[in-house]
Amino acid sequence: MNRKVLAEYNYTLKPVVKGYNRRTLYVNVGSKEIKEKPVTDMMIDKFVGGKGFDLYLMWHGVKDNTKWNDPENEICISFGPLCGNTSYPGSGKSIVTTISPLTGIPVDCNVGGHFGPYTKFAGFDALELQGKAEEDVIVYIDGDSGVVKIMTAPDERINSHILAEELIKEFADGEGKEQFVSVVSSGEAANNVLITCLNFSFWDKRRKVARLKQAGRGGTGTVFRDKGIKALVVKYSGLKVDTNNPVDLPTLQKTGLKLHKEIEAGDADQCRMHQVGTAHLMEIMNDYDLLPIRNFKYGQMPEAESLHSREFTKLFTQGMADGCWYGCSLSCCKAVDHFKPRTGPYKGQPVCVDGPEYETAAGCGSNICAWDPKDVVEINFYCDTYGVDTISFGTSVAFVMECYENGILNKERTGGLDLSWGNTDAALELLHQMAKGEGFGVIVGQGVRRMKKIFAEEFGADPQFLQDIGMEAKGLEYSQYMSKESLAQQGGYTLALKGPQHDEAWLIFMDMVNNHIPTFKDKAEALHYFPMFRTWFGLQGLCKLPWNDIEPANNAQTDEPAKVPEHVQNYVDIYKAITGKPMDKHELIRQSERVYNFQKVFCMRMGGGRRIDDIPPYRAVGPVTEEEYLSRQDRYDNLLKDKIGVDPEGKSVAEKMDITRKYREDQYQQLVDAVYERKGWTKDGVPTLEHLKSIGMDLPEVLDVVKRFL
Amino acid sequence: MKVLKTYPEKCISCHVCESTCSSLYFKEDNADLSCIQIHDQTQPTQMNVCNQCQTCVAACPTCAITVNKQGVVMISKSLCIGCLMCVAVCPTDSMRTAFGKHNPFKCIACGACVKTCPADALEIAEL
């Protein structure tokens, strides 16, 4: 490829010390400025790394009124002090943040692949991208020789499954060295729509293909393309067990080996991550009436049997070392090899498809009634290569299918597409339209919040109905669990800072199935602890899955099985072994609390983060339609009798729904009160000055913003 | 396939094989660094060593573990990133590690211990 170097920056290579490089890399693709920034003690003490560093850098890069497509918006990618160690499973995560085109507030994504660890070992604790390039560019970090370059990108093709592979081959030092290069890219759809993602590659030595992991949520791909970035490329060839330079390698190895052995002994009987990845959840969710079907209307259908994990197991190549970073024995990133799409530009060409994972299988499968697993694989493939987020795609398509069912949409309005439930040809056509930037697909690709406005204004649809069935909050589409019957999970989703994603809290079994957190106080405690605990993974560059998708054999006998105490101790141990800093299970939560509250204040600064932003659509809380009520009539009638004290006898369904709705919405508000109080926030959701001081997040710039709201 | 065959009933627990192995590969007389392990705390004595079953080969994320022409499982130190996943999957606990060392290690059927064993409890066999 004939590339012109537009800017070049040489830096000194030096080893990582106790998990840190003590510098970050700033690249402005508009002004072509490339520079290093120091990592201060304050940054480490208060922000730790990973998402903390991202948010800190981004806070100082943007203004109060920065929109997603302003040049000063940033894409920050950081890795955390534990990231890149090869001893403990799940240690290769990058965390991506930007001001989201869907929400207008910071979004954060936790993603695998080799880019994060390699960029860290190339010499930087975070990468900060700003500006807008006049012509498409590639940013190249050569971690072997200490050079960063901004280069022209005349590459014709930008879809990730092709671009990633081409760039890996171009920048590798020859055949057999491809594993030392990793690429971040998006795809054609990111030029045209908002529900987009970034793909982080890792070279699969056995398959000899570039595998793709997604920083999925919030439209990161759209910001990337708006900046004129075609790809980020990193090369680093020196990986060893001690590249992260831990203070206590033996403890790190010992703790990692203990978990490897636990996985080897227990995974086949527990989650079967090694065999089928997170898709093992499909039948569990269907059995518990929690699988989203028909835009989250129902949680269970006999047809869902066809999306049982055994069907995906058959499609996934078995027996492969499918870790998205070295040393992950959970190996959950499964792949479908030699898949031949039946539609679109790659029709008939054999491709390797990453996934489907549970979210994709549910969102692009059951939620839109796509009952053929191969259709789900095809949607998965095109979403990834076009740079579309499978979660937002699934929820957005489910929304338009329900609108179609209700006559809000028709063929005239969809450009001839029949959006009946289960029409996978139409769903795929929407995807191809997103890539081409034409047709109704471009509307769907704006996401549910914008579609609600368009359908109300242009088609005269009832805004209240659209609000009730449109599964978004803060502008972000819900991920794929039914929260209707779990008040705690309604909070888990809707109170999540970036928007309704399950990565802050997944409490459905604790709450709905096992009834372990019956009171508001219990639920509030869970909605404090788990979001803080899970935030910690993003500060360190870790994956959440090895925490509780494998459990020690005696976990059920511990005092707090939901927390998996032995694994919490593992994290304490490996943190100390790498950084040499003191740590215990309380300080772990405190580290997260500082960054979590910083992110909350960041949201407020950008115009979000208010109590009104924490309101769910009613579909996430209770039955919107009569058929929904009737599908669980016994449950809802019993609730009327037992919880509300109303005899359902003789009442119409509409009357019963009305009473149920008032009760559930009131319960939700009471939950919000309890959670805000537990988190140290006012009733309006504003962190109090006292609380910020007590956790050590009382930086002047933070207090300045908070004072505007008190 | 070349493999180190053991005869525990002949073993006299002198541990010379462990000394030979660790001295050869780590330049240190230390049983913890030997690819062959003699467990004589309980009777009968057990001799643990790699049987070249190849289970570890598929588990290696960097393809650092390969099988040579003689059927012996070899670890490439330049490719190994020390994750120890091979240690966890080994069905006979014969993939060895010493915490603090960068790479796991294993018997490559070199035969050095066969020569020093005073009890004829070891031999290199072709299976």
Side-chain angles (χ1 to χ4, degrees), chain A residues 486 488-489 507 510-512 514-527 530:
Chain A
S486 165
Q489 189 56 30
L507 303 172
M510 266 179 94
D511 186 35
M512 176 189 127
N514 300 324
N515 200 26
H516 284 160
I517 44 174
T519 67
F520 285 113
K521 201 176 165 197
D522 296 333
K523 292 183 207 304
E525 183 56 37
L527 284 166
F530 288 102

Side-chain angles (χ1 to χ4, degrees), chain A residues 55 111 152 159 247 262 302 337 353 360 507 537 547 551-552 609 689:
Chain A
L55 292 171
V111 56
T152 56
N159 289 333
V247 293
E262 212 173 286
D337 287 303
V353 187
T360 307
L507 303 172
F537 295 112
W547 161 53
E551 292 178 351
L689 298 176

